[in-house]
Amino acid sequence: MSGGALLAAMPATGLGSGLRAPSLAREAEAAGRFYGIAARIDQIESEPGLADIVRRECNCLTHEIDLKWNVVQPGPAHFHFAPADGLVRFAAAHGLAVRGHTLLWEQSTPGWALGALRRRRDWSIVADHFAALLPRYGERIAEWDVVNEPVDSEAGEDGYRRTVFHRAFGPGHVARALREARRHLPRARLMINDYGFDYDNPVEARRRDIMLRMVERLRREGAPLDGVGVQAHLDLSKGPFRPAILRDFLSALAGLGVSITITELDVREHDFAAPIDLRDRRVADEVSAYLNVALAEPAVRGIVTWGLSDRHSWLQEQRPDHVTGDSGPALNRGLPYDADLAPKPLYWAMHRALAGTA
Ligand code: XIL
């Protein structure tokens, strides 16, 4: 029996941290890849059982929020590195890699920097931020989302999102940020990271085109771009998922000479009234279909889910009917472990997808 078939035969719930099957990290490694999650060190350190599962399942961690500019430098002279350092220390202690997320993202730029960039087109504001962050971690963070979400197919200018960085420095800010990061990191994989490439609709079709043109231009101009992060926030209201569309997009990216990481995989549910079994099956099937395409592309180096357990999913914050502390049926079930830290059908679907490409 293959590893995948063996795992498929195992019960889908109730195994907790006593799982005997190889972890997602081991399956990923066997296929020459990594599996990681977005995490917060305060949760890892305070919630019983969580640290063991994280150590077991992952060989890579991403800070969910603690490395963002507004967290590490809330005021011009106020730095706050403790949680960011904490996750990097935890990763080092357990032999896990770290993905750096993220250097330039308008949404996580502190108010003081937004104000300063609106007043003066002064690149040193960006350069100082990179200088505060990058040498601190150096080679310990081997892959960075240098620019997050530069694409805007609807209100953008030539597809570039009209951010404070775009207004101050033009479309060249992406290449400039990559070069600035490279000065500090001669070997790290430098990436741009974005969402909305997954489904068959006109907006996402434009987004795919824009991303391909952006990457082509950056490579042609000699910008130090090594990879593209495909966020993969899947959404059951947007389907059906069409494999050929993702396959063509990933292979076009690979053809431009960049590596690919699936950086923020999760599934937004649509029908919360359905029985839990059916909901879990829909979520698992969506991810199976997605990963079967993604993992068939050799340029895809790793898979990161945006969290491990539904307990912590950002999709919960996003829901209009969000009730803090709710763990009932209204909780979005779009991550591999449920709110009680039991693996769900999605977890086993990920196993099978990773094992299938080993
Ligand atoms: C999200 C975090 O998960 C939230 O906790 C936070 O409030 C906002 O940011 N795309 C990204 C991530 O690139 O940084 C975002 O993370 C989710 C969307």
Side-chain angles (χ1 to χ4, degrees), residues 40 64 68 101 105 148-149 231 264 306 314 317:
R40 303 191 194 186
E64 184 183 2
K68 288 169 179 164
H101 178 82
W105 188 29
N148 199 35
E149 303 186 353
Q231 293 186 6
E264 305 187 13
W306 203 245
W314 79 300
E317 304 164 22

Side-chain angles (χ1 to χ4, degrees), residues 207-245:
R207 295 183 59 83
R208 288 186 286 272
D209 273 0
I210 292 166
M211 180 52 103
L212 289 170
R213 273 192 278 124
M214 203 179 277
V215 170
E216 195 272 328
R217 173 176 168 181
L218 289 164
R219 301 278 297 176
R220 182 161 30 85
E221 291 171 348
L225 177 74
D226 303 301
V228 170
V230 172
Q231 293 186 6
H233 291 294
L234 305 185
D235 184 336
L236 295 181
S237 72
K238 289 192 183 167
F241 170 72
R242 300 208 190 281
I245 288 187

Side-chain angles (χ1 to χ4, degrees), residues 15-353:
L15 296 177
S17 53
L19 286 174
R20 288 265 188 290
S23 69
L24 293 177
R26 294 295 90 75
E27 293 285 12
E29 266 168 28
R33 289 172 158 128
F34 60 85
Y35 169 66
I37 61 167
R40 303 191 194 186
I41 191 64
D42 56 318
Q43 293 168 346
I44 290 178
E45 285 176 343
S46 65
E47 298 181 21
L50 185 57
D52 285 346
I53 301 183
V54 170
R55 275 203 306 266
R56 184 193 134 75
E57 295 297 346
C58 308
N59 51 13
C60 180
L61 296 177
T62 302
H63 302 78
E64 184 183 2
I65 50 172
D66 292 327
L67 205 55
K68 288 169 179 164
W69 194 352
N70 55 352
V71 177
V72 296
Q73 199 183 2
H78 177 194
F79 291 91
H80 178 60
F81 286 115
D85 291 356
L87 193 80
V88 173
R89 235 185 344 259
F90 177 88
H94 303 294
L96 317 178
V98 181
R99 286 199 82 249
H101 178 82
T102 173
L103 286 164
L104 280 196
W105 188 29
E106 184 169 56
Q107 277 188 51
S108 62
T109 305
W112 65 266
L114 290 172
L117 287 161
R118 282 184 196 123
R119 282 190 301 276
R120 50 197 164 92
R121 304 173 173 209
D122 180 354
W123 184 257
S124 73
I125 299 165
V126 172
D128 288 352
H129 167 48
F130 285 26
L133 209 53
L134 297 179
R136 187 176 187 89
Y137 302 111
E139 300 292 318
R140 286 203 284 171
I141 301 185
E143 182 169 309
W144 270 98
D145 295 332
V146 177
V147 181
N148 199 35
E149 303 186 353
V151 170
D152 183 350
S153 59
E154 306 310 291
E157 187 179 322
D158 283 340
Y160 283 81
R161 187 174 293 279
R162 295 174 198 267
T163 62
V164 72
F165 309 109
H166 187 272
R167 281 196 199 94
F169 312 111
H173 75 280
V174 178
R176 201 166 174 189
L178 290 162
R179 291 202 178 93
E180 191 70 44
R182 180 59 85 219
R183 291 184 35 218
H184 298 283
L185 303 170
R187 280 179 292 279
R189 268 186 312 284
L190 304 181
M191 318 200 35
I192 56 179
N193 184 51
D194 219 319
Y195 66 90
F197 306 126
D198 318 301
Y199 289 100
D200 183 13
N201 61 56
V203 170
E204 300 202 13
R206 281 195 288 279
R207 295 183 59 83
R208 288 186 286 272
D209 273 0
I210 292 166
M211 180 52 103
L212 289 170
R213 273 192 278 124
M214 203 179 277
V215 170
E216 195 272 328
R217 173 176 168 181
L218 289 164
R219 301 278 297 176
R220 182 161 30 85
E221 291 171 348
L225 177 74
D226 303 301
V228 170
V230 172
Q231 293 186 6
H233 291 294
L234 305 185
D235 184 336
L236 295 181
S237 72
K238 289 192 183 167
F241 170 72
R242 300 208 190 281
I245 288 187
L246 182 70
R247 191 178 306 126
D248 292 351
F249 175 63
L250 297 180
S251 108
L253 278 177
L256 294 170
V258 289
S259 76
I260 300 165
T261 298
I262 305 300
T263 51
E264 305 187 13
L265 179 64
D266 59 11
V267 184
R268 188 188 297 261
E269 287 188 84
H270 180 50
D271 177 9
F272 289 84
I276 296 274
D277 286 1
L278 177 58
R279 288 172 54 189
D280 283 356
R281 184 148 30 90
R282 287 175 175 156
V283 165
D285 287 351
E286 191 81 346
V287 169
S288 288
Y290 196 90
L291 287 185
N292 286 340
V293 174
L295 293 167
E297 170 50 61
V300 171
R301 302 187 66 258
I303 307 292
V304 176
T305 51
W306 203 245
L308 179 78
S309 144
D310 296 331
R311 187 195 280 183
H312 299 131
S313 175
W314 79 300
L315 293 172
Q316 205 53 23
E317 304 164 22
Q318 298 271 305
R319 297 199 38 210
D321 55 347
H322 174 42
V323 187
T324 311
D326 184 7
S327 60
L331 195 72
N332 191 88
R333 296 176 65 86
L335 286 171
Y337 278 75
D338 75 8
D340 300 321
L341 297 183
K344 297 194 317 220
L346 169 52
Y347 175 87
W348 300 106
M350 292 181 57
H351 253 289
R352 285 192 294 276

